[in-house]
Amino acid sequence: KLKDPLQSLMEVLYTKAVDYLILKPQLPIHRRPSTSSRTLGQLKRGQIVSGWPQESWLLLAEKGTTPKSSTAGWVLVDASCLGLGQQAQAQWPVPKELRPFSEAVVVEWTKFPARHVEYQVEWADESEKDKITVARSRETMTMARVHELPADSRLIFRLTAKVYTSPPEQGGEIFTEAVGPWEEAETGATIDKL
C-alpha cells in the first residue's frame, strides 16, 4: 500500500506521462494504490499504458488528463514485496545508442520526463544475467562511458531513473525509481590484439 498518493507533487515533478509494458497475463487496476482497494478492471500482457509512477505504483493516465484529474486507477508495477516480482516494465529510460569499443561502451539516452532525476547504468554478461554490475550511479547527464568491460563479449545494459522530490543536493528524497529494459551491445577485441 502506498502511504500517501501525491498527485499534486506529480504535477510538479513530471513533464509528461511515462509508458509501461505490462508483463503479467493479467494485472488488476485498483481504485487507490492498495492491493486491497476495489478493482476497476484488468490490463493484459503486452499492453502499453501511460502514467505517473510513485514508489511501486503507477497512476494511469487517461487522454488529456493530469495526475490531479486522472481517475483511471492505479497498478502495482513492482510486486516484489508480495513475492510476485516486476509486473510492468518502464519503457523509459532506454539507451538510444550504445557505442562499443574494445573494453568500453558509451551509453546515451533520452532524458526521463521528470524535473529532478539521477540515472544508474548497469551491465551484465548476457550469459550471466544474475551478476549485475553498477557501472555508474548518481549520473545527471544523459550519457555515460562504461569502462573496464570484458573484451569480445555480448553484454546487456539497462538504465534506472531515480526521480527525486527536489534536487538531491538540497535534501530531495526518492519519489520513485523507473527501471528500463535491457539492451544488448558487443565489445570489440582488446587493444593489444589490434
Side-chain angles (χ1 to χ4, degrees):
K1 178 179 179 181
L2 186 63
K3 286 185 243 164
D4 191 16
L6 300 172
Q7 290 159 272
S8 295
L9 184 55
M10 288 179 187
E11 294 268 342
V12 175
L13 292 181
Y14 294 106
T15 56
K16 68 183 207 176
V18 180
D19 290 341
Y20 279 76
L21 170 68
I22 304 305
L23 302 174
K24 298 295 181 182
Q26 292 187 337
L27 182 59
I29 302 169
H30 297 278
R31 184 172 169 269
R32 305 197 49 58
S34 168
T35 55
S36 60
S37 175
R38 185 167 58 94
T39 302
L40 302 174
Q42 299 277 332
L43 297 172
K44 292 184 177 9
R45 180 182 295 160
Q47 272 185 276
I48 301 280
V49 296
S50 296
W52 302 277
Q54 181 181 350
E55 294 179 20
S56 300
W57 289 86
L58 180 70
L59 172 60
L60 297 173
E62 298 167 301
K63 189 172 185 165
T65 62
T66 64
K68 282 199 285 192
S69 65
S70 178
T71 58
W74 295 78
V75 293
L76 184 58
V77 171
D78 184 356
S80 297
C81 61
L82 302 172
L84 300 172
Q86 198 74 17
Q87 302 195 106
Q89 173 75 62
Q91 297 302 287
W92 208 344
V94 64
K96 68 178 181 181
E97 186 170 2
L98 293 168
R99 290 192 314 263
F101 297 95
S102 72
E103 296 167 353
V105 171
V106 174
V107 183
E108 288 188 58
W109 58 92
T110 303
K111 184 178 181 341
F112 192 79
R115 302 210 187 288
H116 312 292
V117 185
E118 289 184 346
Y119 302 96
Q120 177 172 292
V121 181
E122 298 172 316
W123 70 272
D125 189 295
E126 194 174 49
S127 63
E128 299 179 88
K129 293 181 180 179
D130 292 341
K131 290 179 67 178
I132 298 169
T133 301
V134 175
R136 300 289 295 247
S137 60
R138 305 211 63 189
E139 180 63 57
T140 56
M141 306 298 285
T142 56
M143 181 190 89
R145 289 183 184 91
V146 181
H147 300 280
E148 299 177 20
L149 297 171
D152 281 329
S153 299
R154 292 183 63 80
L155 305 174
I156 52 176
F157 294 83
R158 78 175 172 195
L159 298 161
T160 298
K162 296 179 181 188
V163 178
Y164 288 84
T165 55
S166 61
E169 62 275 5
Q170 295 174 11
E173 297 177 11
I174 292 180
F175 188 73
T176 197
E177 292 185 16
V179 181
W182 288 103
E183 297 290 329
E184 294 179 15
E186 264 187 68
T187 54
T190 57
I191 293 176
D192 59 314
K193 288 185 181 177
L194 296 177

